[in-house]
Amino acid sequence: MDILFSDFLGKPLWSWLGFLLLVAGLLAFDLGILNRKTHEIGVRESLMLSAFYITIGVSFSVWIWYFMGQSAAMLYLTGFVVEKSLSLDNIFVMALIFTYFGVPRIYQHRVLVFGIIGVILLRGIMIGAGAAVVARFEWVLLLFAAFLIFTGVKMLMSDDSEYDVSTNPVLRFMRRRFRVTDSIESDHFFVRQPDPVTGQMALFITPLLLALVMVELADVIFAVDSIPAIFALTTDPYIIFTSNIFAILGLRALFFALSAMLHRFAYLQTALSLVLVFIGGKVVIAHLLGIDKVPAALSLSVTAFILVGGVVYSLWRTRDDAQKMVAGVEVKKAA
């Protein structure tokens, strides 16, 4: 039993195992009980499931407070909020991917289930590698900070060009190297069909698997922003990993609720840009002033203020679009 109290990345091994068991239990409850049968997830169910995961994620900060102290809990919440907010861009890209491959809504859940599991593994590897590099070369944090400032400014100046799935080199490679069916084959990633050249039965991959690969690649791309952002907040691997995973766990549920109304968050990207600049800037300022860190409570307050302001302003500026949508629905019902 002594091994459970041995150190692993700065924390007792039992704390890591306990968290992983909690995540496994949540996934088992979600997939094995709530969503055991393949079905189309509606907005109401999506909102309830998303609220459930957000509640669990926020509640975990109580454990962080008890286990590591108030400052750690504040850093955890800041990381959770930042990661959750950055995931909204991920939702937009996932919606484009599903549209490109023509994935029916009833099968999108299956893709996202395997996608989230893959994301958890990939984030774990990336966070572990990042923690090892930062522990050995502390100056890397300044590079992270500079990258965040550059990314934030670039997002502010971007022209909001739409992501083109068809130009992805990995997708092109898979279409060239593997047999791919022309259409979705139920909820299968692989099927056996006659080869059009030889006539013999052969293994084909379906567009559903291509969509899954594109979802995983999209998360890796977005992780390039989110991982440095949370390392700029704290270098504690336990806080980084737990806040990231809890934010990601609810991403699948959030997708079905927000994929159809992302246009209402038109100015959230601007808010996210400012958050990235703020997080990177405070690391640089702290280094120049020779202080350890900007207080965790201040980081959480400023981050929350910027993001809430972005959401409220977006909803206010797009209120006419919402009214037109409601009016259109009422006209269809009347017809």
Side-chain angles (χ1 to χ4, degrees):
M1 294 297 292
D2 289 343
I3 191 173
L4 294 176
F5 294 90
S6 60
D7 181 83
F8 181 74
L9 295 178
K11 297 293 180 294
L13 182 60
W14 63 262
S15 64
W16 291 96
L17 294 176
F19 174 73
L20 293 177
L21 286 174
L22 175 60
V23 171
L26 289 172
L27 288 175
F29 173 71
D30 183 349
L31 306 178
I33 298 177
L34 297 180
N35 296 289
R36 183 163 50 92
K37 296 181 180 180
T38 300
H39 67 287
E40 184 175 325
I41 296 180
V43 174
R44 182 176 180 274
E45 181 182 354
S46 176
L47 288 174
M48 291 179 64
L49 191 58
S50 182
F52 168 76
Y53 277 116
I54 290 175
T55 300
I56 296 294
V58 173
S59 298
F60 192 76
S61 65
V62 178
W63 159 248
I64 295 291
W65 191 316
Y66 172 79
F67 182 48
M68 302 172 61
Q70 177 182 355
S71 180
M74 293 291 183
L75 290 173
Y76 165 85
L77 286 173
T78 305
F80 178 79
V81 169
V82 169
E83 179 61 40
K84 202 73 173 176
S85 302
L86 288 171
S87 68
L88 291 179
D89 273 349
N90 208 344
I91 289 176
F92 174 72
V93 172
M94 287 192 295
L96 290 177
I97 291 171
F98 287 145
T99 300
Y100 175 80
F101 289 105
V103 180
R105 192 175 177 89
I106 193 172
Y107 301 139
Q108 292 175 7
H109 174 261
R110 178 172 171 79
V111 175
L112 292 177
V113 165
F114 285 94
I116 293 300
I117 294 174
V119 165
I120 290 175
L121 295 176
L122 289 173
R123 289 294 178 99
I125 294 172
M126 296 176 72
I127 290 171
V133 171
V134 170
R136 188 174 179 84
F137 308 104
E138 191 172 347
W139 52 266
V140 170
L141 287 176
L142 288 176
L143 292 183
F144 283 170
F147 175 76
L148 291 175
I149 295 173
F150 170 78
T151 302
V153 173
K154 184 179 178 182
M155 287 172 63
L156 283 171
M157 301 174 64
S158 67
D159 57 359
D160 293 328
S161 56
E162 191 170 279
Y163 175 69
D164 188 356
V165 182
S166 63
T167 61
N168 191 291
V170 175
L171 177 60
R172 292 178 175 177
F173 173 82
M174 293 186 71
R175 288 194 182 279
R176 287 197 308 266
R177 298 295 181 179
F178 301 100
R179 301 182 182 93
V180 183
T181 60
D182 294 328
S183 59
I184 301 290
E185 302 291 335
S186 184
D187 63 350
H188 301 299
F189 293 121
F190 300 92
V191 293
R192 296 191 68 86
Q193 291 184 354
D195 188 288
V197 178
T198 65
Q200 298 180 344
M201 296 298 291
L203 187 66
F204 283 72
I205 65 176
T206 71
L208 210 62
L209 181 65
L210 296 180
L212 174 60
V213 173
M214 292 300 102
V215 167
E216 297 289 0
L217 287 176
D219 180 76
V220 171
I221 294 172
F222 281 105
V224 173
D225 291 337
S226 62
I227 297 297
I230 196 165
F231 267 105
L233 291 169
T234 176
T235 57
D236 190 310
Y238 191 77
I239 295 177
I240 295 172
F241 185 68
T242 54
S243 61
N244 255 257
I245 298 307
F246 267 128
I248 291 170
L249 274 178
L251 179 60
R252 175 178 53 84
L254 199 61
F255 170 81
F256 292 102
L258 297 183
S259 58
M261 54 178 293
L262 283 175
H263 64 284
R264 295 295 312 278
F265 300 95
Y267 296 91
L268 182 60
Q269 180 170 315
T270 301
L272 290 172
S273 305
L274 295 176
V275 167
L276 293 180
V277 172
F278 165 70
I279 293 174
K282 74 184 188 66
V283 173
V284 175
I285 291 173
H287 177 75
L288 293 176
L289 296 179
I291 60 178
D292 185 22
K293 290 179 181 178
V294 173
L298 178 61
S299 295
L300 177 58
S301 300
V302 173
T303 300
F305 176 79
I306 294 174
L307 293 175
V308 171
V311 170
V312 172
Y313 185 69
S314 295
L315 295 176
W316 179 72
R317 286 296 301 267
T318 59
R319 64 192 186 282
D320 292 338
D321 294 338
Q323 292 172 358
K324 291 178 182 178
M325 184 178 297
V326 171
V329 171
E330 290 177 348
V331 169
K332 288 183 179 179
K333 287 182 178 180

